[in-house]
Amino acid sequence: MTESPFSIRDGREADLAYLNAYAAAEGMDALPSATGVRVAVNDEDVPVGFLRLQKGENGVFHVNPVVSCATWRGWGVGRALVEEALARVGELYLVARGASVPFYRALGFKEVPWDAIAPTIAADCDGCEMRGECAPLPMGKKVL
Ligand SMILES: CC(C)(COP(=O)(O)OP(=O)(O)OC[C@H]1O[C@@H](n2cnc3c(N)ncnc32)[C@H](O)[C@@H]1OP(=O)(O)O)[C@@H](O)C(=O)NCCC(=O)NCCS
């Protein structure tokens, strides 16, 4: 069996420089802290992707966001981070950028109504000047 080229651990404050560079490259806001963050690291413990879980005021967990380092895309980092989070919390919601909808569909996520998304997270898209271009889609998945 081939060994995975990455492993997943809790995020640390010391990871934030990497993680925020990956977020900035996608036009995303910097992470406020390492709370709720899981990090995929290479064999030298360098972050190659991350997922931040955020519990909404509606009591359910949201992916906000998941990002793989551009040079590591297509290696299963995003899938591993999302599947691990789903196994931990049982049910996950998110607002997918249009470009990432095929990724979430590949993982079995389905479109859900906007009111399934915590209002503060849904509000991130309100008034965003990129909304038309981004075509955000609310999605979710429950563990069977
Ligand atoms: C979306 C993202 C996290 C995917 O990460 P990744 O590490 O490349 O994903 P994986 O290699 O784990 O791919 C998982 C599956 O999704 C599929 N997939 C990923 N991107 C895809 C795309 N653009 N179109 C179609 N399928 C795609 C893969 O083929 C793979 O399918 P398989 O497991 O059935 O073979 C990554 O492209 C990224 O960081 N994008 C920028 C940030 C972003 O938009 N994040 C999502 C919004 S929160």
Side-chain angles (χ1 to χ4, degrees), residues 78-100:
R79 176 186 278 278
L81 286 164
V82 172
E83 289 186 342
E84 189 217 42
L86 194 56
R88 286 164 64 206
V89 301
E91 186 177 10
L92 273 182
Y93 293 86
L94 55 97
V95 178
R97 294 173 166 202
S100 64

Side-chain angles (χ1 to χ4, degrees), residues 52-143:
R52 176 172 170 253
L53 266 186
Q54 186 179 353
K55 193 171 190 179
E57 64 270 43
N58 58 354
V60 296
F61 284 94
H62 295 68
V63 175
N64 191 22
V66 59
V67 179
S68 298
C69 168
T71 53
W72 275 74
R73 290 188 189 155
W75 287 88
V77 170
R79 176 186 278 278
L81 286 164
V82 172
E83 289 186 342
E84 189 217 42
L86 194 56
R88 286 164 64 206
V89 301
E91 186 177 10
L92 273 182
Y93 293 86
L94 55 97
V95 178
R97 294 173 166 202
S100 64
V101 168
F103 162 72
Y104 287 112
R105 288 205 196 285
L107 271 56
F109 281 73
K110 305 267 190 257
E111 184 173 356
V112 297
W114 274 100
D115 63 12
I117 305 298
T120 51
I121 293 172
D124 285 346
C125 297
D126 294 340
C128 172
E129 60 183 25
M130 302 293 285
R131 185 168 187 144
E133 188 184 322
C134 177
L137 189 72
M139 301 184 84
K141 183 176 177 180
K142 286 184 192 183
V143 174

